[in-house]
Amino acid sequence: QPSLLTALLPSNRPLSRSNQPPHTSLKMPPRTPIPLITVNPAKKPWEQEKPLHNRWHPDIPAVAEVKEGDLFTVETVDWTGGQIKDDDNSDDVKFVDLSQVHYLSGPIKVTDKDGVPAKPGDILVVELSNLYPLAGDEWGFTGIFDRDNGGGFLTDHFPAAAKAVWYFDGVYAYSRHVPGVRFPGLIHPGLIGTAPSAELLNIWNTREKSLVDGGEKATTLCSVLQTRPLACLPNATGACLGTVKPGTANWTKIAGEGARTVPGRENGGNCDIKN
């Protein structure tokens, strides 16, 4: 469960004339990040002080606000919302509920220095200065999904669920399930993006419904590999919509229209990249 931190770290060595940044006072204090969103990993995503969400939709209300130039921290839960445990049993991977995954912290409203909010079509630049595990929660996992529940790119070769728990030791990771292996890695957001406009959301849903309606023969690989879903269409089952109250007409509308968090799209989304 990493915390995303955009931070400027002061140098530990004294500034001399040769290494002092121009126009910088020696008495200038370091910037302190704004603690924008915090989470408690022991709580469910919908029980957080600022409830999380797992659908893309423009009508999910923002839970926090920043302005251009702000330095802030955002804490996140793991992508399954705590379904996977630090133990030696892979049944949690085998039976993971994939309808309610990819929990997102936010949405976060962004404004310029004059208080004008960002709008569809604007270019938003966010610098991630540091990413690290939450204190007391320095672990993660790798899993092989069961053939009958999610599968994977190598499902034909590895059809059964499996799990390895990894512990973070600085930049290194090691696992009791893979003895003798220790490697440096880069923590990454996995899934991060901007909320779509209503117009862009409609483009997604139309495009992906057309792919699903085309059936398994719509793509070449589906005829030779274990069939996986070609797209995940809107589905109210498992939807978590932040501060939108379940049972309301607004919740029903958003849950029925909201794009799933896979695949990655024009807004970013499920990137799964190191940098």
Side-chain angles (χ1 to χ4, degrees), residues 95-273:
F95 299 111
V96 63
D97 182 357
L98 295 176
S99 74
Q100 52 127 348
V101 295
H102 285 162
Y103 286 99
L104 300 165
S105 296
I108 300 169
K109 180 180 180 180
V110 180
T111 69
D112 65 15
K113 293 180 179 180
D114 296 322
V116 179
K119 61 183 182 300
D122 288 345
I123 295 177
L124 181 66
V125 178
V126 179
E127 178 184 351
L128 303 181
S129 295
N130 199 4
L131 294 88
Y132 54 90
L134 290 177
D137 229 29
E138 296 91 348
W139 68 277
F141 69 93
T142 51
I144 298 176
F145 292 105
D146 192 87
R147 181 186 183 99
D148 296 326
N149 185 26
F153 295 113
L154 297 176
T155 296
D156 292 317
H157 300 282
F158 303 99
K163 177 177 71 176
V165 174
W166 297 86
Y167 298 105
F168 303 131
D169 182 14
V171 298
Y172 292 94
Y174 64 94
S175 172
R176 66 182 181 273
H177 299 124
V178 190
V181 175
R182 181 174 182 263
F183 66 91
L186 292 175
I187 296 175
H188 59 88
L191 197 150
I192 185 171
T194 56
S197 65
E199 179 185 12
L200 184 57
L201 177 62
N202 182 62
I203 290 174
W204 293 349
N205 287 339
T206 301
R207 180 175 66 201
E208 292 169 24
K209 184 177 185 303
S210 176
L211 181 62
V212 172
D213 290 345
E216 296 177 10
K217 298 186 182 300
T219 61
T220 303
L221 287 177
C222 287
S223 63
V224 296
L225 296 177
Q226 164 73 11
T227 300
R228 304 178 69 214
L230 299 178
C232 293
L233 300 181
N235 186 353
T237 300
C240 186
L241 305 179
T243 57
V244 181
K245 299 299 182 184
T248 63
N250 196 31
W251 190 96
T252 300
K253 175 182 181 295
I254 295 174
E257 298 174 348
R260 304 289 294 280
T261 50
V262 289
R265 303 179 180 90
E266 291 90 332
N267 69 327
N270 191 28
C271 302
D272 282 340
I273 56 174

Side-chain angles (χ1 to χ4, degrees), residues 18-50:
S18 61
N19 65 22
Q20 179 178 343
H23 312 298
T24 299
S25 169
L26 291 175
K27 296 183 180 180
M28 180 180 292
R31 296 176 66 187
T32 300
I34 302 166
L36 198 66
I37 298 177
T38 60
V39 298
N40 181 349
K43 292 184 176 182
K44 301 293 185 183
W46 51 88
E47 296 173 342
Q48 301 296 331
E49 179 183 359
K50 295 179 178 178

